[in-house]
């Protein structure tokens, strides 16, 4: 097991011959020594508050098999800089990345749901979305997930697969094209935009 003294933690595929399929709730919460976490492919669901308030955590590697990130999973990991959320992730829980104030680059899957304040107060510099503007507008984002409000630049593929940037202070707030096939835009989807 982990004794709390190392800065790089690798959650293995097996421990003492048995597969590791979960991390206990709050197992690493409030840890001040961890700077990097690597999670094995056997863990497909990251539950509630697993790394909450790991204030020195800078890097996390999630397996491509990851399907969900629970509530408060990385809440207040203030030094976390680059986050790549795998394509298989379909749900990001409430406050999952809230208060992560140092995120330089966030990579999001093409289809996912984000919970209440999932990204609030995160000061995301660049958000790279693995889908098109049409895909983005069809996402089921909780009205107050705060992803747009705390992201400086949003980058996604256009209909031709080319990369397109939108800056929250200018383009997104002034020019949004909603395709004909969009049936519903959730309440507050574009709130707090200037």
């Amino acid at each position: 097991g982990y004794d709390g003294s190392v800065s790089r933690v690798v959650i293995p595929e097996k421990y003492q011959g048995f597969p590791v399929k979960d991390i206990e709730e709050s197992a690493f919460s409030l840890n001040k020594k961890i700077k990097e976490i690597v999670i094995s492919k056997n863990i497909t669901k990251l539950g509630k508050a697993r790394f909450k308030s790991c204030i020195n955590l800078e890097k996390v590697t999630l397996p491509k098999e990851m399907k969900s990130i629970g509530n408060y999973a990385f809440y207040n990991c203030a030094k976390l800089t680059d986050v790549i959320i795998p394509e298989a992730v379909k749900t990001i829980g409430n406050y999952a990345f809230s208060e992560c104030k140092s995120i330089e680059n966030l990579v999001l899957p093409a289809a996912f749901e984000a919970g209440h304040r999932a990204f609030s107060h995160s000061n995301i510099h660049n958000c790279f979305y693995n889908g098109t503007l049409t895909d983005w507008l069809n996402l089921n984002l909780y009205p107050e997930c705060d992803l747009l409000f705390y992201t400086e630049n949003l980058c996604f593929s256009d209909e031709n697969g080319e990369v397109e940037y939108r800056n929250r202070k200018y383009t997104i707030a002034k020019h949004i094209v909603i395709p004909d096939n969009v049936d519903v835009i959730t309440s507050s989807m574009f709130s707090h935009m200037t």
Side-chain angles (χ1 to χ4, degrees):
Y2 177 71
D3 67 5
S5 64
V6 296
S7 63
R8 183 174 191 268
V9 174
V10 177
I11 309 297
E13 289 182 38
K14 291 185 177 185
Y15 181 72
Q16 296 182 347
F18 296 98
V20 176
K21 294 187 177 187
D22 195 7
I23 300 169
E24 188 173 317
E25 183 174 335
S26 301
F28 296 96
S29 289
L30 304 172
N31 184 292
K32 293 180 176 141
K33 293 192 185 233
I34 297 175
K35 291 184 178 183
E36 180 181 1
I37 295 169
V38 178
I39 300 173
S40 75
K41 67 180 182 180
N42 287 348
I43 297 177
T44 59
K45 295 179 181 179
L46 193 58
K48 181 179 179 182
R50 296 320 194 241
F51 302 101
K52 180 181 175 182
S53 295
C54 287
I55 59 172
N56 290 307
L57 179 63
E58 297 171 2
K59 181 178 180 184
V60 62
T61 303
L62 301 173
K64 66 181 181 182
E65 295 82 4
M66 179 77 57
K67 293 180 180 155
S68 67
I69 298 172
N71 298 341
Y72 297 93
F74 295 99
Y75 176 86
N76 195 34
C77 291
K79 292 186 179 178
L80 193 59
T81 58
D82 294 303
V83 178
I84 299 173
I85 299 177
E87 275 301 310
V89 170
K90 298 303 176 208
T91 58
I92 299 171
N94 300 334
Y95 298 92
F97 292 95
S98 183
E99 302 290 339
C100 293
K101 297 183 182 290
S102 300
I103 297 178
E104 278 293 313
N105 298 297
L106 171 66
V107 178
L108 294 172
F112 69 97
E113 295 180 2
H116 183 72
R117 304 218 183 267
F119 298 95
S120 67
H121 302 283
S122 291
N123 302 332
I124 301 163
H125 184 68
N126 295 305
C127 178
F128 299 94
Y129 173 62
N130 287 325
T132 65
L133 176 59
T134 302
D135 296 334
W136 179 264
L137 293 172
N138 285 312
L139 286 176
N140 184 15
L141 297 178
Y142 189 90
E144 292 181 1
C145 87
D146 290 339
L147 182 58
L148 290 176
F149 186 64
Y150 291 99
T151 299
E152 185 175 334
N153 297 300
L154 175 62
C155 173
F156 48 90
S157 298
D158 71 10
E159 304 301 329
N160 300 316
E162 296 176 11
V163 173
E164 185 175 342
Y165 283 92
R166 302 286 175 134
N167 183 291
R168 78 161 183 214
K169 295 174 186 162
Y170 306 105
T171 312
I172 276 196
K174 291 183 179 178
H175 178 73
I176 298 173
V177 177
I178 300 173
D180 292 337
N181 65 343
V182 175
D183 294 325
V184 176
I185 296 176
T186 59
S187 64
S188 303
M189 180 67 155
F190 300 106
S191 66
H192 305 297
M193 310 260 336
T194 57

